[in-house]
């Protein structure tokens, strides 16, 4: 019996195996037209997939994440078809869905201009009206190579050759005369892709190395309805105003310099102050949770990374000091993580079960050789600072300590105002790829993932599963966040590691006198400070909460004779640890207020004759607007309470 789970939670039972599309048609054409793909036993599949007996499946429409991805992936094929119609010499590279739309990479004689994008858009709309069905078919490698070679698609041939040793058939999708190598899933036809907008054209590389062939990448988005597209474009305009790259530079939180390098931002005094405040707070909270602070080197010999496995699995992401292939000379690498360094604290002497859990933490500066195309302001950089920790523990302590790590991360993200927009991903290994990316045996991975699943289910956490998103040594819980453009990155990770302790000989003596291997939890509490700052600038549109604002109060005397009183208030607030400035310029009050507003200062104190004579201040708050004059003691108490409670 096949069970179809409908949106309202009800179940329809179907007896005969048939393509999912036919089952959905039988329920109703409205549901069929809305369908993008299906989830069969938890895995997203094509609508063409035959649904067998004894399984449960559900229909995924555009209002689901997988539905959007399928819709946008189909839109990328529609764009590729339009490009080939208009520019037959263009060669196809790749065309995936993104978080907010899609892109396709082409090899063309010259990059597309805005006028070209308009022509491509018009052709896409024309093709959508013609309503081409997408037909899926499979070919063995040799026939796939011939098909793409005959079409002069060199990049597709290169992709196909990666499957030479696997003996598998490759899937293609055909719409009219257009054929593309693709795993899918896709819509049944291009007809639903009605509202289209091509957004930009940039350069891209085929492969990671910058000396590879440069391609032309066209970004776009599409929706079933024009009103949805308009709403999205309005949101993108708002996103541009909130983009931390814009706000952070305008407000002088950070800058970048070409001759220093991509992904190496300079934190200016405002940004440096916010990061310092976050670091001090995180370290104090971690200490209250029984954590032990360490300080370890920024680089080490390759010998260390060989023991941990990073040399084999992560060398492309590391900055190497020396020749990695010359075994006669010492070779070092800047650290991309702190775990193998912190393990030496545990290994400093023999440990007992009484020493566990050992919660080691560090404010770690790390270095990762990210691709140049991935760099983005403070969100993705090559040098960053992170609230890193490694908990070494007995197996019976795993669940309690994991819960503690999650509670700590949620508390910190909530305090900085980001938790409500976070999602959770249970990142697992890919059993089909065990010898390339991952260490350990299938049994070890199954044990680690079962342990994490048990913990997450006990907690009652709502999470998605990410296959092939695990670290090479263990599964992890990723706390995800999206920037204003919808691009998702990881803010915090909590990982279970049952492998690395053995590599380093990290034994402890248990109650029975036997030496045993501990489990290790790799975790961050707030994650990368630069990334957190970027997301906070976007979330709060540059108006950071008072406790984190680099300048909390600006005092604005109306005339020079009010400066002395203004300075006396500033001195009092400064003595309490608040960050205050006095704008004592001989300038009209209007421009002073405007400057403070543009710089997103949380509080302005305006000082005139009445305030001096009455011992008061007139207050303007970013959150509450203009407030009546109040005694200095009262406003100080209000600010002190707001800072103490870390109000958002």
């Amino acid at each position: 019996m096949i069970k179809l789970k409908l949106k309202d939670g009800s179940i329809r039972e179907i007896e005969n195996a048939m393509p999912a599309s036919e089952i959905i048609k039988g329920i109703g054409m409205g549901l069929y037209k809305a369908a993008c793909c299906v989830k069969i036993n938890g895995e997203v599949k094509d609508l063409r997939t035959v649904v067998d007996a004894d399984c449960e499946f559900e229909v995924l429409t555009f209002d689901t994440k997988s539905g959007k991805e399928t819709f946008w992936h189909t839109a990328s094929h529609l764009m590729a078809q339009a490009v080939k119609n208009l520019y037959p010499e263009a060669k196809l590279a790749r065309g995936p869905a993104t978080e907010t739309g899609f892109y396709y990479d082409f090899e063309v004689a010259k990059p597309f201009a805005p006028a070209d994008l308009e022509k491509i858009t018009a052709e896409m709309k024309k093709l959508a009206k013609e309503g081409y069905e997408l037909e899926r078919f499979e070919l063995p490698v040799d026939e796939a190579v011939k098909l793409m070679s005959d079409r002069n698609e060199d990049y597709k041939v290169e992709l196909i050759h990666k499957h030479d040793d696997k003996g598998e058939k490759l899937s293609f999708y055909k719409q009219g005369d257009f054929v593309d190598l693709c795993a899918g899933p896709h819509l049944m036809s291009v007809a639903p892709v009605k509202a289209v907008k091509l957004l930009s054209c940039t350069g891209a590389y085929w492969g990671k190395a910058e000396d590879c062939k440069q391609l032309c990448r066209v970004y776009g988005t599409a929706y079933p309805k024009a009103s949805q597209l308009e709403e999205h474009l309005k949101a993108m305009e708002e996103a541009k105003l909130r983009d931390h790259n814009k706000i952070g530079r305008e407000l002088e939180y950070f800058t970048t310099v070409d001759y220093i390098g991509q992904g190496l931002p300079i934190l200016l005094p405002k940004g440096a102050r916010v990061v310092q405040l976050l670091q001090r707070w995180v370290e104090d909270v971690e200490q209250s949770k029984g954590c032990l602070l360490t300080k370890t080197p920024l680089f080490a010999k390759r010998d260390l990374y060989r023991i941990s496995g990073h040399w084999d699995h992560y060398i492309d992401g590391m900055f190497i000091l020396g020749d990695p292939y010359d075994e006669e000379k010492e070779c070092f690498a800047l650290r991309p993580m702190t775990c193998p360094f912190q393990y030496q604290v545990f290994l400093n002497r023999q440990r007992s079960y009484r020493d566990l859990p050992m919660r080691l933490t560090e404010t770690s500066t790390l270095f990762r050789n990210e691709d140049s195309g991935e760099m983005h302001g403070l969100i993705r950089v090559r040098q960053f600072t992170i609230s890193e920790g490694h908990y070494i523990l007995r197996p019976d302590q795993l669940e309690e300590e994991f819960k503690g790590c999650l509670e700590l991360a949620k508390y910190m993200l909530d305090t900085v105002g980001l938790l409500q927009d976070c999602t959770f991903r249970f990142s697992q290994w890919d059993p089909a790829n065990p010898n390339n990316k991952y260490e350990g045996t299938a049994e070890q991975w199954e044990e680690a993932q079962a342990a994490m699943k048990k913990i997450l289910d006990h907690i009652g956490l709502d999470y998605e599963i990410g296959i092939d998103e695990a670290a090479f040594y263990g599964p992890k819980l990723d706390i995800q966040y999206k920037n204003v453009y919808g691009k998702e990155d990881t803010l915090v990770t909590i990982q279970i590691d049952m492998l690395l302790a053995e590599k380093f000989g990290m034994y402890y003596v248990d109650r029975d006198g036997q030496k045993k291997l501990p489990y290790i939890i790799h975790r961050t509490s707030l994650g990368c400070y630069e990334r957190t700052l970027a997301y906070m600038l976007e979330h709060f549109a540059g108006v950071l909460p008072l406790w984190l604002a680099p300048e909390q109060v600006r005092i604005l005397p109306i005339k020079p004779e009010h400066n002395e009183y203004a300075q006396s208030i500033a001195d009092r607030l400064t003595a309490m640890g608040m960050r205050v400035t006095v704008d004592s310029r001989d300038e009209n009050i209007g421009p002073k207020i405007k400057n403070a507003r543009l710089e997103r200062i949380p509080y302005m104190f305006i000082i005139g004759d009445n305030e001096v004579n009455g011992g008061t201040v007139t207050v303007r708050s970013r959150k509450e607007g203009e407030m009546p004059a109040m005694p200095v003691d009262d406003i100080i108490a209000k600010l002190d309470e707001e800072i103490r409670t870390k109000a958002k």
Side-chain angles (χ1 to χ4, degrees):
M1 185 68 69
I2 301 167
K3 295 181 179 179
L4 169 59
K5 184 179 180 182
L6 297 176
K7 208 168 185 180
D8 61 4
S10 62
I11 299 290
R12 294 283 189 96
E13 293 188 344
I14 300 99
E15 292 187 4
N16 299 322
M18 65 181 80
S21 58
E22 295 302 314
I23 296 175
I24 299 167
K25 276 183 183 177
I27 301 297
M29 286 302 295
L31 180 61
Y32 174 72
K33 288 180 180 179
C36 293
C37 53
V38 291
K39 183 181 285 187
I40 302 175
N41 291 339
E43 189 175 352
V44 178
K45 296 281 190 179
D46 204 291
L47 288 164
R48 301 156 188 80
T49 304
V50 174
V51 185
D52 295 318
D54 300 323
C55 78
E56 182 174 300
F57 81 105
E58 59 183 303
V59 181
L60 301 180
T61 56
F62 188 79
D63 58 358
T64 66
K65 180 180 178 182
S66 296
K68 285 184 174 70
E69 289 174 352
T70 301
F71 189 95
W72 287 330
H73 196 178
T74 303
S76 78
H77 278 227
L78 181 63
M79 178 173 69
Q81 183 182 13
V83 168
K84 292 292 286 187
N85 284 358
L86 295 170
Y87 309 92
E89 298 305 313
K91 293 185 179 181
L92 305 173
R94 61 173 78 84
T98 66
E99 285 86 351
T100 58
F102 57 89
Y103 70 79
Y104 212 111
D105 291 343
F106 304 95
E107 181 188 318
V108 288
K110 62 179 182 177
F112 293 127
D116 297 314
L117 298 187
E118 290 180 10
K119 287 173 59 179
I120 297 167
T121 301
E123 182 70 11
M124 290 176 69
K125 291 179 178 179
K126 175 186 170 186
L127 294 170
K129 284 183 179 179
E130 292 176 6
Y132 288 107
E133 297 283 325
L134 280 86
E135 303 170 26
R136 185 181 186 277
F137 63 94
E138 294 183 345
L139 294 174
V141 169
D142 56 344
E143 293 181 32
V145 168
K146 184 178 186 310
L147 175 64
M148 290 292 102
S149 297
D150 290 346
R151 290 174 171 263
N152 202 29
E153 298 293 358
D154 301 341
Y155 299 100
K156 299 297 180 180
V157 171
E158 184 177 332
L159 290 173
I160 293 168
H161 278 309
K162 292 183 178 180
H163 297 265
D164 282 345
D165 301 331
K166 299 179 181 178
E168 60 190 56
K169 287 188 174 182
L170 300 172
S171 62
F172 292 82
Y173 283 83
K174 181 177 185 294
Q175 57 206 57
D177 294 330
F178 177 78
V179 178
D180 202 353
L181 171 73
C182 188
H186 282 287
L187 303 180
M188 295 299 289
S189 86
V190 299
V193 188
K194 297 174 181 176
V196 177
K197 178 70 174 178
L198 298 187
L199 302 169
S200 63
C201 180
T202 65
Y205 291 99
W206 179 251
K208 291 187 176 182
E210 292 188 15
D211 58 354
C212 287
K213 182 75 175 180
Q214 188 168 29
L215 305 173
C216 176
R217 176 172 294 179
V218 180
Y219 285 97
T221 193
Y223 284 80
K225 297 178 181 178
S227 59
Q228 294 172 305
L229 176 61
E230 289 177 16
E231 185 179 338
H232 170 78
L233 294 177
K234 286 180 182 178
M236 288 298 98
E237 288 303 312
E238 171 67 17
K240 290 178 183 178
L241 299 177
R242 285 178 172 264
D243 186 347
H244 84 279
N245 247 326
K246 179 178 185 293
I247 292 177
R249 294 173 194 274
E250 289 177 351
L251 297 181
E252 298 187 349
Y253 278 84
F254 75 98
T255 189
T256 52
V257 181
D258 286 344
Y259 53 76
I260 288 178
Q262 250 190 325
L264 298 171
I266 306 294
L267 289 184
L268 300 172
K270 287 183 181 179
R273 179 65 69 197
V274 175
V275 169
Q276 180 194 54
L277 291 165
L278 288 170
Q279 288 179 2
R280 288 175 172 175
W281 168 61
V282 168
E283 288 181 356
D284 287 345
V285 172
E286 289 179 339
Q287 181 175 325
S288 74
K289 301 295 183 182
C291 295
L292 304 173
L293 187 66
T294 69
K295 188 172 179 61
T296 58
L298 298 180
F299 64 100
K301 293 162 62 175
R302 63 185 155 201
D303 307 58
L304 179 72
Y305 304 115
R306 278 179 169 158
I307 297 172
S308 67
H310 289 92
W311 197 255
D312 294 327
H313 293 277
Y314 201 74
I315 189 170
D316 289 342
M318 299 167 70
F319 289 101
I320 310 299
L321 309 176
D323 185 349
Y325 306 108
D326 187 345
E327 298 293 336
E328 300 300 319
K329 294 181 181 178
E330 281 191 325
C331 180
F332 294 81
L334 296 176
R335 65 180 184 185
M337 78 308 294
T338 309
C339 46
F341 296 86
Q342 285 196 323
Y343 295 164
Q344 310 312 309
V345 178
F346 177 91
L347 291 166
N348 188 52
R349 61 176 172 82
Q350 178 64 61
R351 301 294 177 179
S352 159
Y353 69 93
R354 297 185 183 89
D355 296 316
L356 305 181
M358 179 180 285
R359 306 182 187 98
L360 304 174
T361 59
E362 184 165 335
T363 302
S364 305
T365 299
L366 304 179
F367 307 86
R368 295 183 183 175
N369 191 11
E370 300 279 5
D371 292 341
S372 61
E374 294 294 319
M375 299 298 105
H376 179 57
L378 297 178
I379 290 178
R380 190 165 289 277
V381 293
R382 285 174 168 157
Q383 176 184 315
F384 57 94
T385 306
I386 194 168
S387 57
E388 196 167 12
H390 298 91
Y391 291 14
I392 304 167
L393 44 108
R394 304 190 308 267
D396 63 285
Q397 297 169 325
L398 178 62
E399 182 162 348
E400 182 179 354
E401 292 300 317
F402 190 97
K403 287 179 181 177
C405 291
L406 179 56
E407 289 169 2
L408 178 63
K410 290 172 73 173
Y411 161 72
M412 289 187 167
L413 291 171
D414 184 44
T415 304
V416 300
L418 301 180
L419 180 62
Q420 65 184 21
D421 295 318
C422 288
T423 57
F424 300 87
R425 183 181 72 196
F426 179 8
S427 295
Q428 303 179 3
W429 81 321
D430 181 2
N433 186 22
N435 298 320
N436 183 15
K437 179 179 175 181
Y438 301 106
E439 295 269 339
T441 64
E443 291 74 20
Q444 288 171 314
W445 275 92
E446 287 168 7
E447 180 184 357
Q449 291 186 170
M452 183 175 284
K453 184 179 187 305
K454 178 182 176 183
I455 294 169
L456 297 178
D457 291 346
H458 278 183
I459 295 171
L461 190 70
D462 184 17
Y463 61 84
E464 294 183 349
I465 292 176
I467 301 298
D468 204 26
E469 296 288 350
F472 71 83
Y473 48 80
K476 54 188 176 132
L477 177 68
D478 290 322
I479 302 180
Q480 303 291 104
Y481 194 90
K482 291 182 179 179
N483 69 10
V484 288
Y485 297 109
K487 173 71 169 65
E488 185 175 274
D489 278 299
T490 301
L491 259 180
V492 168
T493 61
I494 307 171
Q495 306 172 19
I496 293 178
D497 171 14
M498 300 181 179
L499 299 177
L500 294 189
E502 185 173 15
K503 285 176 171 286
F504 283 91
M506 296 169 63
Y507 293 92
Y508 68 94
V509 179
D510 207 354
R511 288 183 178 87
D512 58 8
Q514 300 297 311
K515 285 188 174 182
K516 296 182 180 177
L517 289 167
Y519 287 173
I520 300 172
I521 295 176
H522 304 241
R523 69 104 183 104
T524 53
S525 53
L526 188 61
C528 169
Y529 288 105
E530 291 84 356
R531 186 173 289 179
T532 299
L533 172 58
Y535 284 142
M536 290 183 68
L537 287 172
E538 294 186 349
H539 178 76
F540 293 107
V543 188
L544 298 185
L546 184 64
W547 72 281
L548 281 174
E551 183 181 346
Q552 296 168 311
V553 179
R554 184 171 294 179
I555 304 177
L556 309 177
I558 295 175
K559 297 179 180 178
E561 53 263 37
H562 305 137
N563 288 349
E564 183 177 350
Y565 178 67
Q567 189 60 53
S568 69
I569 297 173
D571 291 343
R572 185 174 171 187
L573 293 173
T574 301
M576 296 177 64
M578 295 187 200
R579 298 176 290 283
V580 187
T581 61
V582 177
D583 187 348
S584 57
R585 296 174 298 156
D586 189 6
E587 175 69 87
N588 290 332
I589 191 65
K592 290 183 179 183
I593 292 173
K594 181 179 179 181
N595 288 343
R597 187 176 69 251
L598 290 174
E599 293 183 43
R600 273 78 156 183
I601 308 301
Y603 283 95
M604 290 179 262
F605 292 177
I606 300 171
I607 306 297
D609 291 338
N610 292 336
E611 287 76 19
V612 172
N613 295 332
T616 63
V617 293
T618 294
V619 180
R620 286 197 177 190
S621 164
R622 292 289 306 201
K623 291 195 296 185
E624 302 174 54
E626 189 165 348
M627 303 165 66
M630 64 178 67
V632 175
D633 286 349
D634 290 356
I635 187 61
I636 288 179
K638 173 179 171 61
L639 297 184
D640 187 54
E641 173 71 7
E642 192 173 333
I643 293 168
R644 185 185 61 79
T645 60
K646 295 182 172 57
K648 298 188 283 289

